[in-house]
Amino acid sequence: GLLIDVQTLELRADYTRYSSAHMRTTVNMPVARKPGLALGSKICHYIRPKILAVLLDAEINSKLTVRLNIYQIFMLGAMKMHSFLTSLPEPPVRGGPCGYIMSAIDVGVKYMIKSTRPKVILRASVNTSSAECNPCLPHAHVEYLALKAFHRIFKAKASRYPDLLRILEERMRCPRLARVAQHLEEVVSENRSGVFRGIRF
């Protein structure tokens, strides 16, 4: 579902439905022989349903709300990833668990960047015109929001991911993303995503 701001008419995704059950119930449990090797495609699968033009279009939403929607999509993806990882009989070994998880996160970042390129969302017919969705999102913003979202979610399970948290922090401190961070402080404020505190994962 969607949440509509009655004052600005901006749109956000409604995540309250995830509060009624453990996140594990929304994730398909692995059945393949080496399920961990599909982690990158799993992340794309988790975030794809929430990548909606009405949530990302800068003509509908403010820049802050567009970025908040991106951030929350990645937070949901991170929760689902954790639920998937904890269901594995053993962690992935190619490149080590941390390396493999970071590679999967990067796949999700690239998928989001590709999905948020300006594009036509309603094809023209004989009597109607097309509508263009343009999120106006720099790639560095998408990457930082993804890393910050995964860091926040995995930090809640810090004992499982100490090395991964360190790698995420190092990535966010690189000059390119450090410059972006100050512009996104309000977006990643915990108060703006309080609904996620009530989701069990």
Side-chain angles (χ1 to χ4, degrees), residues 20-181:
S20 60
H22 197 284
M23 186 61 73
R24 191 180 300 113
T25 63
T26 71
V27 176
N28 292 330
M29 294 298 105
V31 293
R33 185 177 179 182
K34 295 182 179 180
L37 298 182
L39 195 54
S41 61
K42 281 288 183 183
I43 291 179
C44 297
H45 175 74
Y46 297 150
I47 66 177
R48 184 183 299 118
K50 296 296 183 182
I51 304 177
L52 304 175
V54 293
L55 298 179
L56 306 180
D57 194 343
E59 292 294 321
I60 298 173
N61 296 317
S62 66
K63 290 182 178 181
L64 186 150
T65 300
V66 169
R67 285 154 177 76
L68 178 61
N69 286 334
I70 294 288
Y71 180 59
Q72 292 182 341
I73 289 170
F74 278 121
M75 288 180 68
L76 180 69
M79 285 182 166
K80 291 194 173 191
M81 180 199 273
H82 168 77
S83 296
F84 179 80
L85 288 171
T86 56
S87 71
L88 293 174
E90 56 186 32
V93 296
R94 191 177 68 186
C98 289
Y100 194 79
I101 294 172
M102 278 305 307
S103 295
I105 293 173
D106 287 336
V107 170
V109 170
K110 292 176 182 177
Y111 181 78
M112 180 66 80
I113 289 173
K114 180 179 178 180
S115 299
T116 54
R117 291 173 182 167
K119 54 184 173 290
V120 172
I121 57 173
L122 294 177
R123 293 296 179 184
S125 64
V126 175
N127 299 316
T128 62
S129 59
S130 301
E132 183 175 301
C133 173
N134 186 2
C136 299
L137 269 172
H139 293 180
H141 285 214
V142 176
E143 182 179 354
Y144 178 81
L145 291 171
L147 297 178
K148 188 70 175 180
F150 276 91
H151 183 271
R152 175 176 170 182
I153 297 304
F154 286 172
K155 191 174 181 180
K157 309 290 183 180
S159 62
R160 288 180 176 268
Y161 305 108
D163 294 334
L164 181 63
L165 289 170
R166 176 181 52 79
I167 294 171
L168 287 167
E169 290 162 3
E170 289 176 356
R171 280 275 296 271
M172 288 188 289
R173 283 197 299 266
C174 77
R176 181 173 58 88
L177 296 184
R179 289 192 296 270
V180 166

